[in-house]
Amino acid sequence: MIYDVSIENTNYRLELNRTTTGWTCSLNGRPVQLDVALIRPGVLSLLIENQAYEVKREKVGSEIHLWVGNQRYTAELRDPRSLRNLKDGAGRQQGSSRLTAPMPGKVVRLLVNEKDQVEAGQGVVVVEAMKMQNEIKSPKKGIVQKLTAAEGTSVNAGDVLAIVE
Amino acid sequence: MFKKILIANRGEIAVRVIRACHELGIKAVAVYSEVDRASLHVLKADEAHHIGAAAASESYLDIRKIIDVAKRTGAQAIHPGYGFLSENAKFAQTCAEAGVKFIGPNAAAMELMGSKTRARQQMEKAGVPCVPGTSRGLESFGQAERVAEEIGYPLMLKAAAGGGGKGMRLVRSREELKPALESAKSEALRAFGDSEVYVEKLIANPRHIEVQVLADEHGNVVHLGERECSIQRRHQKVLEEAPSPIVDEQMRRRMGEVAVRVAKAAGYTNAGTVEFLVDEARKFYFLEMNTRLQVEHPVTELVTGLDLVHLQIRIAAGEKLPFAQEDVHIRGYAIECRIYAEDPDNNYFPSPGKISLLLTPDGPGVRHDSGMYEGWTVPIDYDPLLAKLIGYGSDRAQAVSRLRRALDEYLVGGIKTNISLFRRILGDQDFQAGKPDTGYLDRLLHTTQVSSGDQHADAAAIAAGIFATLDSASATANGVAGDRPAVATASTWKQAARIDGLRQ
């Protein structure tokens, strides 16, 4: 398998193969001696040239975080062979911005109506979680095309609250 | 001794009290709201009773329902924990009338300490040093102006019924007084249903240091030394330690004596905390008394070797304090981190949700008081305190290094937590030098964080590929081998790849 991995905006070309006896690995064309043990779901023990690393994976929304020691890295990864397929059908959301709930909570107030003009940074919806109210703001200037949020309803992280075009 | 105790709380403190009950051979009765059925305190209790909807007013704050469960289950006492009904004098009174022992002080002592102005009046009478200011509510703007001239600017306006920074205003000059007074009053009215506001002189760069007291029902009162609680964000404590780096043996004795005097003057029983402000000359002033077990009680437990919840229960059962003041010794050093479900990268906004991965630290000098488990969904309805991580060492430097090591082992995955904040505080030189006052944390958060480097980025890149390979293998094998949960994981990777594709 070949992966293009991006760790905190630095790109790596990673080649990994799983054999019956273990793993072979090369990073940016350089062979790396590697031993792998999956400790539990989300936790790896890596021996890279006999240096020991405990790597923990965490998924927050659509982001992948990898913890190595006390450092957190945001990882993005793709398989270059499938990239072309992924690009087809993309761009569906071009021009419009979706406002999503950053955390689970309750919609307590709508600050605008559909078809209203909003400025960038203007509050659109107020979501309350754990006794704190948070204004979800429009990322751009535009027209509120759709208000999917309704006052009093519960929302999950990532739920679309409104679409601004 | 009681045979059965009801715990009128949830979260880590309910678990803490249930553990103490079991250690003393007492049955523990839990109560829970609709969203807490799967919470840890229900799992750990001997009996559990559903008491209503998620909103605290319909469950954990509903006095009638809680007393009703106590009577039905034959619980002889109620432990209120902290927050919720713990400082509600009416609840203490209702317990007494129902013949159920409230584990805490009596209603009269709670009422006295619940009003900052009445408490100040009483304490001044008892010769307790208070921050210069008024001990009565301000009746008019004219009166406020006169008092302010007497005390001098800058000064603080505070709500008599207040707490948690609500109804509190800093006034730097005469011009600011009128608008500050009006907004403090209206905020106090909204938050506490009482608009009474009084004036205190502003202590520059104060420290917040509190003294733990214990009083039995036979007139014996002792103090257990101090806790340093100056590390605060928006008037909320974040990290506490015992002992305080600036309190020596002599100062501890003087503060302790005053704290005992406060407890006696209030007719106080059970565990309580006397809070002081300490100025730059190390002069201390009575601030208020908290009539409950504090969140940060474990640091005192570690440095005194005592179990405060055991002692609370024993005192409530009518036992005498099993030791005298001269038997109390402070040994070693303890620091507590309050682990909250909140996002340090997004202005500390609450971050409830499902805990997908939980790795907790252990080893020498580590205590973890927690109300969470892997797979639990943190509800959106309550305070976001998840757990407390406490480090202990023979001196402060060792406590700090153990805590830093423990934080490196700690991972709460799937939700955001403030764990990274503690790495930052504990790694800071001013903190390590024991310098912080109550303004310290805000100043620290305004400095730019130095990037911690990326020497492990290669390992992260390799791990990213291995996780992805294991995910797709287990997706192919339908979850037989590799990582779990297979399908969801694979699709998340695809989603990440798709997002990445869009960015190109």
Side-chain angles (χ1 to χ4, degrees), chain B residues 141-222:
Chain B
F141 175 64
Q143 189 208 359
E145 231 179 353
R146 277 195 307 280
V147 174
E149 290 306 323
E150 256 171 59
I151 299 170
Y153 296 94
L155 51 81
M156 293 296 287
L157 295 176
K158 291 185 173 183
K166 291 228 172 69
M168 204 152 111
R169 289 289 181 284
L170 166 65
V171 186
R172 287 186 199 82
S173 64
R174 191 157 168 264
E175 292 70 46
E176 290 181 9
L177 184 61
K178 192 164 186 169
L181 183 65
E182 280 163 8
S183 69
K185 278 192 156 188
S186 69
E187 191 173 297
L189 184 65
R190 274 202 311 278
F192 314 110
D194 178 356
S195 70
E196 188 181 352
V197 167
Y198 67 104
V199 178
E200 268 183 12
K201 186 171 174 53
L202 179 81
I203 307 284
N205 306 319
R207 283 176 180 254
H208 180 126
I209 299 178
E210 59 188 28
V211 175
Q212 176 72 51
V213 295
L214 277 177
D216 67 19
E217 295 175 356
H218 308 275
N220 304 303
V221 186
V222 296

Side-chain angles (χ1 to χ4, degrees), chain B residues 83-391:
Chain B
F84 294 124
L85 292 169
S86 62
E87 294 184 277
N88 185 316
K90 188 173 159 242
F91 181 55
Q93 189 59 41
T94 312
C95 286
E97 284 159 9
V100 181
K101 181 75 183 182
F102 176 82
I103 301 175
N106 59 43
M110 268 162 102
E111 244 162 32
L112 172 68
M113 290 303 174
S115 159
K116 305 286 150 81
T117 44
R118 274 188 61 211
R120 273 186 67 116
Q121 290 162 29
Q122 188 87 9
M123 292 310 131
E124 277 175 349
K125 243 187 274 168
V128 170
C130 297
V131 181
T134 53
S135 297
R136 302 193 185 281
L138 296 168
E139 267 145 37
S140 65
F141 175 64
Q143 189 208 359
E145 231 179 353
R146 277 195 307 280
V147 174
E149 290 306 323
E150 256 171 59
I151 299 170
Y153 296 94
L155 51 81
M156 293 296 287
L157 295 176
K158 291 185 173 183
K166 291 228 172 69
M168 204 152 111
R169 289 289 181 284
L170 166 65
V171 186
R172 287 186 199 82
S173 64
R174 191 157 168 264
E175 292 70 46
E176 290 181 9
L177 184 61
K178 192 164 186 169
L181 183 65
E182 280 163 8
S183 69
K185 278 192 156 188
S186 69
E187 191 173 297
L189 184 65
R190 274 202 311 278
F192 314 110
D194 178 356
S195 70
E196 188 181 352
V197 167
Y198 67 104
V199 178
E200 268 183 12
K201 186 171 174 53
L202 179 81
I203 307 284
N205 306 319
R207 283 176 180 254
H208 180 126
I209 299 178
E210 59 188 28
V211 175
Q212 176 72 51
V213 295
L214 277 177
D216 67 19
E217 295 175 356
H218 308 275
N220 304 303
V221 186
V222 296
H223 73 86
L224 304 181
E226 79 285 357
R227 291 185 288 260
E228 165 77 59
C229 306
S230 298
I231 309 239
Q232 304 185 352
R233 205 180 65 82
R234 294 189 189 159
H235 306 289
Q236 300 281 350
K237 295 168 191 168
V238 168
L239 176 149
E240 304 95 348
E241 42 187 309
S244 163
I246 63 153
V247 174
D248 57 22
E249 195 48 54
Q250 197 213 350
M251 185 173 171
R252 179 169 305 124
R253 197 175 330 112
R254 284 193 293 122
M255 288 182 90
E257 280 165 11
V258 170
V260 167
R261 208 185 308 154
V262 168
K264 284 185 170 164
Y268 198 85
T269 53
N270 216 289
T273 295
V274 181
E275 296 196 336
F276 295 98
L277 277 185
V278 181
D279 69 14
E280 287 167 313
R282 296 204 305 155
K283 240 178 116 177
F284 58 87
Y285 307 91
F286 170 74
L287 194 61
E288 61 180 5
M289 183 166 189
N290 294 314
T291 58
R292 57 163 196 273
L293 184 71
Q294 301 274 97
V295 176
E296 60 272 25
H297 74 276
V299 293
T300 298
E301 294 187 321
L302 289 173
V303 299
T304 58
L306 298 167
D307 187 307
L308 288 178
V309 181
H310 283 203
L311 287 162
Q312 279 195 297
I313 294 171
R314 290 188 181 285
I315 288 169
E319 292 185 17
K320 285 186 174 169
L321 277 175
F323 53 84
Q325 187 64 58
E326 56 269 26
D327 304 319
V328 177
H329 300 289
I330 307 296
R331 186 161 169 267
Y333 210 97
I335 304 174
E336 173 184 276
C337 302
R338 297 188 182 195
I339 310 300
Y340 284 105
E342 59 185 20
D343 183 0
D345 298 327
N346 182 19
N347 204 21
Y348 294 86
F349 203 79
S351 167
K354 186 170 179 174
I355 297 171
S356 57
L357 177 64
L358 180 62
L359 302 170
T360 53
D362 49 23
V366 174
R367 170 170 166 179
H368 186 236
D369 280 23
S370 160
M372 63 178 159
Y373 59 85
E374 189 172 301
W376 182 55
T377 299
V378 184
I380 62 171
D381 310 87
Y382 309 107
D383 183 272
L385 181 69
L386 296 171
K388 301 173 317 202
L389 179 67
I390 308 110

Side-chain angles (χ1 to χ4, degrees), chain B residues 58-95:
Chain B
E58 291 174 46
S59 48
Y60 300 107
L61 288 174
D62 190 322
I63 294 177
R64 191 188 52 77
K65 283 181 185 161
I66 289 168
I67 298 279
D68 183 52
V69 173
K71 295 195 111 171
R72 270 193 288 136
T73 57
Q76 298 146 297
I78 294 181
H79 196 299
Y82 51 69
F84 294 124
L85 292 169
S86 62
E87 294 184 277
N88 185 316
K90 188 173 159 242
F91 181 55
Q93 189 59 41
T94 312
C95 286

Side-chain angles (χ1 to χ4, degrees), chain B residues 40-60:
Chain B
L40 196 59
H41 73 288
V42 177
L43 194 71
K44 298 280 181 198
D46 298 291
E47 265 181 66
H49 294 262
H50 176 248
I51 51 166
S57 57
E58 291 174 46
S59 48
Y60 300 107

Side-chain angles (χ1 to χ4, degrees), chain A residues 25-165:
Chain A
C25 168
S26 87
L27 190 65
N28 292 337
R30 182 174 56 86
V32 175
Q33 190 215 327
L34 177 67
D35 194 72
V36 179
L38 182 67
I39 304 303
R40 58 186 282 185
V43 184
L44 281 181
S45 164
L46 291 189
L47 299 178
I48 301 172
E49 318 275 333
N50 291 101
Q51 294 292 307
Y53 299 92
E54 182 183 7
V55 185
K56 303 154 214 173
R57 174 177 63 176
E58 187 192 359
K59 289 173 232 171
V60 182
S62 60
E63 283 195 348
I64 307 289
H65 295 157
L66 295 170
W67 288 87
V68 188
N70 63 11
Q71 288 181 41
R72 188 183 74 180
Y73 300 92
T74 302
E76 284 171 13
L77 172 140
R78 65 178 175 272
D79 176 352
R81 289 172 306 178
S82 58
L83 185 61
R84 201 174 310 117
N85 302 339
L86 290 171
K87 276 203 170 168
D88 297 342
R92 183 164 47 90
Q93 296 162 37
Q94 220 159 29
S96 69
S97 282
R98 302 208 274 181
L99 274 68
T100 55
M103 80 298 286
K106 192 182 237 177
V107 176
V108 290
R109 229 170 9 261
L110 303 177
L111 302 173
V112 299
N113 295 312
E114 274 185 15
K115 307 298 169 208
D116 277 4
Q117 163 100 32
V118 289
E119 296 296 321
Q122 184 181 338
V124 176
V125 178
V126 180
V127 176
E128 184 181 281
M130 289 176 161
K131 309 280 163 232
M132 271 184 64
Q133 297 196 345
N134 189 28
E135 244 182 55
I136 312 301
K137 299 183 170 79
S138 176
K140 57 186 267 186
K141 183 178 171 170
I143 306 284
V144 179
Q145 285 301 341
K146 205 168 161 57
L147 261 179
T148 37
E151 273 181 31
T153 56
S154 294
V155 290
N156 284 315
D159 281 2
V160 177
L161 303 172
I163 296 173
V164 177
E165 242 174 57

